[in-house]
Amino acid sequence: MSDNEKRIRFEVLQTAIGIVDQGLYWRKENGENVNPPDTSVYIAKAEELMKFVDDIRDPMVKNVTQLLTEHSGK
């Protein structure tokens, strides 16, 4: 695995951690009793995000990329 691939994987993991933690924060703010998630929750989110990174040919990825491109120009 190249250094660039490692960097991307690390950044995806950091993003996954942020997404999961943000969800927990909002649940806690809404009064729910929140327990720390298992590591598997973070890994599952990272795997979901890696699908986006790995398969740019996926039509859903193209749609999201197109939306991001359109909105970044405004």
Side-chain angles (χ1 to χ4, degrees):
M1 182 181 309
S2 72
D3 287 342
N4 191 42
E5 290 170 322
K6 288 178 185 178
R7 182 186 54 78
I8 290 170
R9 291 174 62 85
F10 180 70
E11 289 177 4
V12 166
L13 179 59
Q14 287 181 311
T15 302
I17 291 168
I19 291 170
V20 171
D21 287 351
Q22 185 66 43
L24 293 173
Y25 171 80
W26 287 116
R27 287 176 42 211
K28 186 175 180 180
E29 285 294 308
N30 287 328
E32 289 185 45
N33 186 15
V34 178
N35 295 319
D38 291 335
T39 304
S40 62
V41 174
Y42 294 103
I43 292 170
K45 180 54 77 175
E47 288 173 344
E48 179 184 331
L49 294 172
M50 278 306 294
K51 287 179 188 173
F52 177 85
V53 172
D54 286 337
D55 193 6
I56 197 68
R57 295 164 302 190
D58 183 339
M60 185 59 193
V61 173
K62 287 181 184 175
N63 290 339
V64 171
T65 304
Q66 182 180 4
L67 286 173
L68 291 172
T69 303
E70 288 172 0
H71 291 298
S72 67
K74 291 184 178 179

